[in-house]
């Protein structure tokens, strides 16, 4: 595993990847001469200087470039910024607009005398220009002596003489906005050598707010501290982005130096207290200062009673806090307290109030600490939750405080430490409403470090004999039934719970039981019924919000699994996206789990290349943090996708990762074993993997899980084993959902071997969204039609099959995926088949020559197309490795 931390991201001016469009536009405006001036407007740090630097660099070869640097220090000095071009004037002339204009004209003419090139005058921070200088520049622009590119902030904006030019149509305005997510992704792709997964892009985009200056600082600081590290070719965030890095501190210091003392003071107050009531800051710093900061977009206001102020960027706020000494911070805290109604504090404001008090060494009551620790945990502010909860010493609250610390540790992937704390605190909380959640968390923490359920069960049983709570044994019994995928017993348990429970919801045991039943039903081939159980589990969730166990994510996994088992790909994607959109704070903890589900969906759809692009980063994320116990299953899926795409090196690594994985949720073991066996067959082509799959089919475990068994049959069929087609037909008839129905349709048409029927079946499957199954039907149709002498129609089927191939993938070598882009390696069998295909032999002729099935030939050719990035036989020869 590589973990290179020493990579130095590029300097700020190299982050222009996301600014190509405005740079191109400005250069074209200047070259075309359609406007005599271009005003580049943007807030602080958005990239005005970087854009003007790029424009200057690009136009320097064709124009004579001059620069003017306005500043607040010269704003009160008439013509002060023009001194470099008026040096020959007397003191009396230097204050005359006419004399200054003549001097400028003379300077430009001398400059042109060298090569006759037009003059480009670039003005930085034009909002600081004094009115006199702005008036002269307006005259220069109007007279056409020079083209001016001026960069300024929207607030306070350009001086009136320049602004008037825009109103008169003599100037064009280009507004720079913060970089959007796509631009951030483009910047990172150029700045970092390797794959940057969505989770990393999202975190950096959110933290930077799209501000190029902060983005540059974050990349440097994160790389320097090792928070941003390259693992197996993938750039991962190993922790929270630092607010105390040297680069970010420099950005904050530079911003502070250019501000008036009263603005600096107000920003410190808001950074330390925010979100804080607007009236509080107005009472201390004045309404004019608050309006100014709002105008400059340094501060944002949240509507409400009372209205609250926060800094525009959380990391920027953290960096400002780091510049304030403890003694000064304490003084500011006392100022705020004198104007703040503590009773009105809630949510983030209440949490920040406690954090600030602790930073200053002020004593906080245990009740306030408990409320703040719960709020921090709810917001996935794990470090804050741990540090606050650790200060609670009131005996009745200690056990719950330890459980909060344990959940925060669990969120961070520190399962060993979490388990140790939970072993201590679970028993005192047996009678607490959080008792079931704490015991569930304890089981999960132990399973994450490789301990079977029995380790916790034995401990619980011992205490139950001494007068423990009955629900504890029931909870562990449910988990055991879930691990065994015991549908009938789970169904009976759920029925009993439904009879005795009310409709109010919020029963943790019922939410658990319904979720486990949903998964078991999907495995048994009854995903429609499983979906009903998952939705019942979801109905229990609202009262459980903020629980110490991750009930929402637990239920989401079962809901998505049921949709996938049904073949409802879009519904599964919708549920994942809905959760991700509403739970951004949970991304660091659960993103790997969500991406694994997304990758599994793509794999089930046959979109192997895209699935691989999603699964590899998901596995790396789960290696760091695996709250739902999906890492082992994820390595199996990644191994399978890598092997199918011919990426031998990554296949071997993922295979070893799977072997090294301590444990996983037992209910996934059957499918994980199947995918590993199939992957081994794709890798070696020695028949051993296929034999392992065939053995797996006959086990009692597989026979009892018809839904999983049908998935295993489909793997064998994909591997070129047509003997499973009758088994597919038999199993699919007993499985609910569109996917089983589509597989049954394909198997029936396959067995009938009628070209017309196969073409019609393929078209209907394609229309229904089962493109991978349609592809197989078209492939079968081409063979059947070829054998019956209908070569024209056979070619039509091949063309349709190729269209499906194209729809299923982005062509691996053309995609954005960098980390695992494989060197092209064809197996001996693939080489033999391709060689004959290039000679012009049909699939049937190749099969006869090599004494294999036509299906085997088709499968090898398809995988070769993927490896070589081609779509048809016509492209094969040119794409073959030399």
């Amino acid at each position: 595993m590589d973990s290179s931390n020493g990579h130095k991201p590029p300097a700020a001016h190299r982050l222009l990847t996301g600014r190509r469009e405005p740079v191109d536009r400005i250069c074209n405006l200047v070259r075309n001469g359609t406007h005599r001036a271009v005003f580049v407007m943007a807030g602080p740090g958005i990239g005005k200087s970087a854009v003007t630097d790029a424009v200057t660099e690009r136009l320097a070869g064709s124009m004579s470039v001059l620069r003017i640097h306005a500043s607040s220090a010269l704003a009160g000095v008439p013509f002060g910024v023009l001194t470099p071009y008026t040096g020959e004037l007397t003191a009396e002339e230097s204050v005359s607009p006419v004399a200054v204009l003549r001097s400028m004209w003379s300077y430009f003419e001398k400059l042109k005398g060298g090569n006759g090139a037009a003059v480009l005058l670039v003005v930085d921070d034009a909002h600081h220009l004094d009115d006199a200088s702005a008036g002269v520049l307006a005259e220069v622009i109007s007279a056409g002596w020079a083209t001016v590119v001026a960069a300024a902030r929207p607030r306070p904006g350009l001086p009136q003489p320049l602004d008037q030019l825009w109103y008169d149509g003599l100037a064009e305005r280009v507004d720079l906005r913060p970089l959007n997510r796509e631009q951030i992704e483009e910047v990172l792709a150029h700045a970092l050598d390797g794959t940057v997964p969505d989770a990393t892009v999202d975190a950096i985009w959110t933290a930077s707010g799209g501000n190029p200056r902060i983005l540059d600082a974050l990349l440097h600081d994160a790389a320097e501290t090792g928070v941003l590290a390259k693992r197996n070719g993938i750039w991962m965030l190993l922790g929270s982005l630092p607010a105390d890095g040297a680069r970010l501190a420099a950005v904050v210091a530079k911003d502070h130096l250019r501000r008036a003392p009263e603005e600096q003071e107000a920003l410190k107050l808001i950074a330390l207290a925010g979100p804080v009531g607007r009236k509080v800051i107005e009472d201390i710093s004045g309404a004019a200062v608050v309006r100014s900061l709002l105008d400059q977009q340094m501060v944002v206001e949240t509507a409400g009673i009372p209205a609250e102020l926060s800094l525009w960027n959380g990391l920027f706020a953290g960096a400002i806090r780091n510049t304030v000494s403890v003694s000064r911070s304490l003084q500011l805290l006392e100022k705020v307290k004198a104007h703040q109604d503590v009773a009105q504090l809630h949510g983030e404001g209440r949490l920040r109030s406690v954090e600030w008090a602790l930073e200053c060494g002020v004593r906080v009551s245990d009740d306030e600490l408990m409320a703040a620790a719960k709020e921090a945990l709810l917001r996935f502010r794990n470090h804050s939750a741990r540090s606050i909860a650790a200060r609670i010493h009131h005996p009745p609250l200690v056990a719950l405080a330890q459980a909060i610390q344990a959940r925060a540790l669990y969120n961070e992937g520190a399962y060993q430490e979490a388990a140790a704390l939970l072993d201590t605190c679970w028993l005192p909380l047996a009678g607490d409403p959080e008792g079931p959640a704490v015991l569930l968390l304890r089981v999960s923490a132990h399973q994450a470090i490789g301990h079977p359920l029995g380790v916790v069960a034995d401990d619980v049983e011992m205490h139950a004999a001494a007068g423990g709570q009955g629900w504890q044994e029931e909870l562990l019994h449910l988990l055991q039934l879930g691990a065994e995928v015991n549908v009938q017993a789970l169904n009976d348990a759920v029925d009993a719970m439904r009879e005795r429970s009310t409709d109010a919801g919020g029963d943790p045991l019922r939410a658990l039981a319904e979720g486990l039943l949903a998964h078991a039903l999907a495995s048994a081939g009854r995903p429609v019924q499983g979906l009903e159980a998952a939705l019942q589990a979801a109905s229990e969730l609202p009262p459980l919000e903020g629980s110490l166990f991750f009930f929402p994510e637990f239920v989401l996994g079962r809901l998505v699994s049921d949709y996938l088992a049904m073949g409802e790909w879009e519904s599964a994607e919708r549920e994942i996206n809905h959760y991700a959109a509403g739970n951004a704070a949970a991304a660091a903890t659960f993103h790997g789990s969500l991406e694994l589900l997304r990758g599994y969906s793509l794999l089930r759809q046959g979109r192997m290349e895209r699935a691989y692009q999603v699964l590899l980063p998901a596995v790396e994320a789960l290696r760091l943090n695996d709250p739902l116990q999906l890492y082992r299953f994820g390595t199996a899926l990644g191994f399978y996708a890598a092997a199918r795409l011919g990426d031998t090196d990554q296949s071997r690594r993922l295979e070893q990762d799977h072997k090294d994985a301590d444990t996983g949720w037992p209910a996934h073991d059957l499918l994980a074993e199947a995918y590993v066996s199939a992957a081994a067959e794709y890798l070696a082509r020695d028949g051993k993997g296929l034999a392992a799959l065939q053995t797996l089919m006959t086990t009692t475990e597989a026979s009892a899980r018809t839904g999983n068994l049908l998935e295993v049959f489909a793997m064998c069929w994909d591997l070129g084993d047509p003997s499973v087609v009758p088994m597919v037909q038999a199993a699919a008839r007993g499985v609910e959902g569109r996917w089983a129905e589509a597989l049954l349709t394909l198997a029936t048409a396959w067995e009938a071997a009628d070209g017309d029927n196969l073409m019609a079946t393929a078209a209907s499957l394609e229309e229904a969204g089962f493109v991978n199954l349609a592809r197989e039907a078209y492939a079968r149709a081409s063979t059947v039609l070829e054998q019956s002498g209908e070569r024209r129609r056979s070619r039509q089927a091949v063309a349709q099959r190729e269209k499906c191939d194209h729809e299923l993938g982005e062509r691996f070598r053309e995609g954005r995926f960098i980390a695992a882009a494989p060197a092209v390696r064809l197996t001996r069998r693939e080489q033999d088949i391709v060689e004959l295909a290039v000679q012009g032999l049909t699939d049937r002729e190749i099969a006869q020559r090599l004494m294999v099935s036509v299906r085997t030939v088709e499968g090898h050719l398809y995988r070769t197309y993927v490896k070589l990035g081609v779509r048809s036989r016509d492209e094969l020869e040119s794409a073959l490795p030399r």
Side-chain angles (χ1 to χ4, degrees):
M1 178 189 300
D2 64 330
S3 56
S4 49
N5 310 349
H7 180 87
K8 298 288 192 276
H13 70 277
R14 300 302 300 168
L15 294 175
L16 269 167
T17 305
R19 293 297 191 203
R20 289 174 180 167
E21 184 179 348
V23 170
D24 291 342
R25 182 184 172 197
I26 294 166
C27 289
N28 289 335
L29 287 168
V30 171
R31 289 192 184 109
N32 297 339
T34 53
H35 294 82
R36 296 172 184 172
V38 180
F39 300 147
V40 183
M41 310 299 291
I46 298 299
K48 300 183 298 295
S49 298
V51 167
T52 55
D53 286 346
V55 169
T56 300
E57 184 179 342
R58 193 178 296 183
L59 297 178
S62 58
M63 303 182 76
S64 296
V65 180
L66 300 175
R67 296 202 77 137
I68 292 175
H69 298 277
S71 68
S72 57
L74 291 174
V77 181
F79 307 116
V81 297
L82 302 180
T83 302
Y85 312 110
T86 60
E88 297 179 1
L89 297 179
T90 65
E92 184 178 342
E93 290 174 328
S94 65
V95 295
S96 166
V98 175
V100 170
L101 269 171
R102 279 201 308 266
S103 180
M104 296 278 289
W105 166 256
S106 176
Y107 192 98
F108 292 161
E109 287 303 299
K110 288 179 183 177
L111 194 63
K112 289 180 182 178
N115 54 19
V119 176
L120 174 65
L121 188 59
V122 179
V123 185
D124 294 316
D125 291 334
H127 51 279
H128 285 312
L129 285 171
D130 62 279
D131 287 341
S133 297
V136 167
L137 289 178
E139 293 290 343
V140 168
I141 294 167
S142 299
W145 296 352
T147 299
V148 173
V149 173
R153 295 184 184 179
R155 295 179 180 84
L158 290 163
Q160 194 277 333
L162 295 179
D163 225 9
Q164 188 63 45
L165 294 176
W166 180 55
Y167 287 120
D168 295 340
L170 295 177
E172 181 66 32
R173 174 170 167 152
V174 175
D175 289 281
L176 299 182
R177 306 294 180 193
L179 298 175
N180 59 32
R181 188 195 182 283
E182 183 179 350
Q183 290 169 323
I184 292 284
E185 186 173 18
E186 186 182 0
V187 168
L188 295 178
H190 282 77
L192 303 174
D193 176 25
T195 297
V196 187
D198 288 344
T200 303
V201 176
D202 289 337
I204 292 175
W205 176 46
T206 301
S208 68
N211 185 297
R213 188 192 303 169
I214 292 183
L215 172 62
D216 177 49
L218 280 181
L219 288 180
H220 278 88
D221 289 343
E224 288 289 343
T225 58
V227 169
L228 179 63
K230 193 175 180 183
R231 297 292 181 90
N232 294 312
I234 298 170
W235 286 94
M236 306 295 298
L237 287 175
L238 307 185
S240 300
L241 287 162
D244 56 353
R247 292 293 184 110
L248 188 58
V251 169
V252 170
K254 184 177 180 181
D255 179 84
H256 261 43
L257 284 174
R258 60 160 64 105
R259 296 190 180 280
E262 57 271 19
E263 285 191 349
Q264 293 184 28
E265 186 85 343
L267 285 173
K268 288 176 182 176
L269 284 169
I270 298 169
L272 287 163
V276 59
R278 176 172 178 167
K279 188 175 185 307
V280 173
I281 304 302
E282 286 180 338
D283 288 347
I284 298 172
S285 302
V289 172
V290 171
R291 282 197 301 272
S292 174
L293 292 174
L294 285 168
D295 283 345
Q296 296 172 56
Q297 299 177 331
M298 288 301 297
V299 171
V300 294
E301 182 176 15
T302 304
I305 302 174
E308 292 183 326
L309 300 178
S310 303
L311 253 65
W312 72 275
N313 180 275
L315 275 180
F316 200 86
I320 289 179
R321 290 197 291 269
N322 290 331
T323 67
V324 183
S325 67
V326 174
S327 58
R328 181 60 182 146
S329 183
L330 183 58
Q331 291 176 337
L332 295 175
L333 175 61
E334 294 303 322
K335 272 190 179 182
V336 169
K337 277 186 173 181
H339 295 85
Q340 191 174 60
D341 182 359
V342 179
Q344 288 190 326
L345 291 176
H346 61 279
E348 176 77 6
R350 186 178 186 183
L351 169 59
R352 183 60 209 142
S353 174
V354 171
E355 289 175 331
W356 190 9
L358 295 178
E359 289 164 7
C360 295
V362 176
R363 189 182 182 285
V364 180
S365 73
D366 279 13
D367 287 338
E368 288 180 87
L369 290 173
M370 179 60 73
K374 288 180 178 178
E375 186 68 33
L377 194 60
L378 188 64
R379 297 173 180 275
F380 285 83
R381 297 252 292 271
N382 300 311
H383 176 74
S384 186
R386 287 193 289 111
S387 61
I388 293 173
R391 296 171 181 267
I392 296 173
H393 300 296
H394 186 46
L397 298 178
V398 168
L400 184 56
Q402 289 176 328
I404 289 172
Q405 293 176 68
R407 174 60 199 272
L409 287 164
Y410 192 93
N411 288 345
E412 295 171 328
Y415 302 122
Q416 190 84 42
E417 295 92 327
L421 269 175
L422 290 162
D423 287 345
T424 301
C425 71
W426 78 274
L427 193 56
L429 292 172
D432 190 274
E434 282 284 6
V438 171
L439 183 54
L440 274 172
L441 190 63
R442 185 185 181 210
V443 171
S444 298
H446 275 279
Q447 286 185 325
I449 56 179
H451 296 166
L453 181 60
V455 170
V456 176
D458 290 345
D459 191 28
V460 170
E461 185 178 351
M462 179 181 68
H463 287 91
Q469 305 272 338
W471 63 260
Q472 297 167 354
E473 292 179 295
E474 184 180 9
L475 184 151
L476 293 170
H477 181 59
L478 287 171
L479 288 175
Q480 187 60 47
L481 295 177
E484 296 168 357
V485 197
N486 190 328
V487 178
Q488 187 57 55
L490 281 169
N491 197 62
D492 292 343
V494 167
D495 284 343
M497 288 181 174
R498 289 173 180 170
E499 287 179 8
R500 71 174 189 243
S501 78
T502 65
D503 295 330
D507 182 346
L509 262 64
R510 181 170 166 181
L512 173 68
E514 297 274 15
L516 293 173
L517 178 60
H519 185 95
L521 286 167
S523 300
R526 292 148 61 187
V528 176
Q529 298 173 56
L531 181 62
E532 293 177 7
L535 292 173
Q536 285 288 338
S539 71
E540 298 287 335
L541 296 180
L544 295 173
E545 183 180 355
S547 170
L548 289 174
F549 184 71
F550 36 91
F551 287 107
E553 294 76 19
F554 171 80
V555 173
L556 174 69
R558 275 65 192 171
L559 190 62
V560 170
S561 295
D562 281 302
Y563 275 129
L564 294 182
M566 293 163 64
E568 301 289 349
W569 321 124
E570 292 180 1
S571 296
E573 183 75 11
R574 183 187 66 243
E575 292 294 338
I576 294 171
N577 291 340
H578 178 72
Y579 172 87
N583 296 273
T589 299
F590 291 101
H591 183 84
S593 304
L594 296 183
E595 288 301 287
L596 179 69
L597 292 172
R598 203 188 303 274
Y600 183 36
S601 174
L602 290 164
L603 188 150
R604 292 286 301 273
Q605 295 173 58
R607 301 180 186 277
M608 287 297 155
E609 298 164 13
R610 181 62 186 139
Y612 194 32
Q613 295 171 20
V614 173
L615 286 170
L616 245 68
V619 168
E620 291 307 314
L622 291 172
R623 193 191 303 278
L624 298 171
N625 203 333
D626 183 23
L628 295 177
Q629 318 287 295
L630 291 173
Y631 173 70
R632 194 164 189 272
F633 184 52
T635 56
L637 297 182
F639 177 26
Y640 177 80
R644 280 199 66 160
L645 291 170
D647 187 352
T648 304
D649 291 341
Q650 288 283 21
S651 297
R652 296 297 187 198
R653 181 182 66 77
L654 287 162
E655 181 182 24
Q656 190 59 49
D657 285 343
H658 182 77
K659 292 176 180 176
D660 293 343
D662 290 328
T663 187
W665 179 241
H668 294 304
D669 287 349
L670 174 66
L671 280 180
E673 185 180 347
Y675 277 107
V676 166
S677 297
E681 182 62 26
Y682 279 115
L683 207 57
R685 284 293 176 183
D686 56 4
K688 293 179 180 178
L690 188 57
L693 280 174
Q694 291 164 343
T695 300
L696 186 63
M697 294 176 201
T698 64
T699 61
T700 304
E701 185 182 17
S703 301
R705 305 184 196 177
T706 314
N708 292 162
L709 184 61
L710 186 58
E711 199 170 336
V712 176
F713 288 154
M715 291 181 212
C716 291
W717 196 359
D718 279 341
L719 280 164
D721 179 11
S723 69
V724 299
V725 174
M727 302 179 204
V728 168
Q729 288 177 283
R733 290 190 181 96
V735 174
E736 299 172 343
R738 294 174 64 246
W739 177 71
E741 182 182 340
L743 205 56
L744 175 60
T745 301
L746 173 61
T748 303
W750 185 284
E751 285 282 272
D754 179 270
D756 293 335
N757 183 36
L758 280 162
M759 290 294 285
T761 296
S764 67
L765 289 170
E766 190 175 2
E767 185 178 357
F770 297 100
V771 181
N772 58 329
L773 302 185
R775 185 263 168 209
E776 299 303 322
Y778 282 127
R780 176 69 164 164
S782 69
T783 301
V784 169
L785 291 168
E786 177 76 22
Q787 290 172 343
S788 62
E790 297 186 62
R791 293 197 168 187
R792 183 184 64 81
R793 294 198 63 213
S794 175
R795 287 194 294 273
Q796 288 177 345
V798 170
Q800 290 297 110
R801 184 191 69 189
E802 291 172 353
K803 183 168 77 72
C804 291
D805 287 343
H806 183 68
E807 186 177 344
L808 287 171
E810 298 94 349
R811 297 304 92 200
F812 194 91
R813 65 180 183 177
E814 296 173 10
R816 294 174 298 154
F817 196 59
I818 302 168
V824 177
R825 299 186 185 92
L826 301 183
T827 65
R828 171 60 62 186
R829 177 64 80 190
E830 286 169 346
Q831 292 173 7
D832 293 340
I833 290 174
V834 168
E835 185 175 331
L836 295 173
V838 169
Q839 294 173 18
L841 275 69
T842 66
D843 290 357
R844 185 158 56 87
E845 290 168 339
I846 295 172
Q848 291 172 345
R849 179 80 64 88
L850 298 178
M851 293 184 291
V852 296
S853 70
V854 175
R855 168 80 172 175
T856 298
V857 173
E858 291 172 350
H860 279 302
L861 280 175
Y862 169 60
R863 284 182 285 279
T864 302
Y865 289 172
V866 171
K867 287 183 180 182
L868 299 177
V870 302
R871 290 178 292 175
S872 67
R873 287 177 181 241
D874 296 337
E875 302 174 16
L876 263 181
E877 186 171 10
S878 61
L880 284 173
R882 303 296 179 186

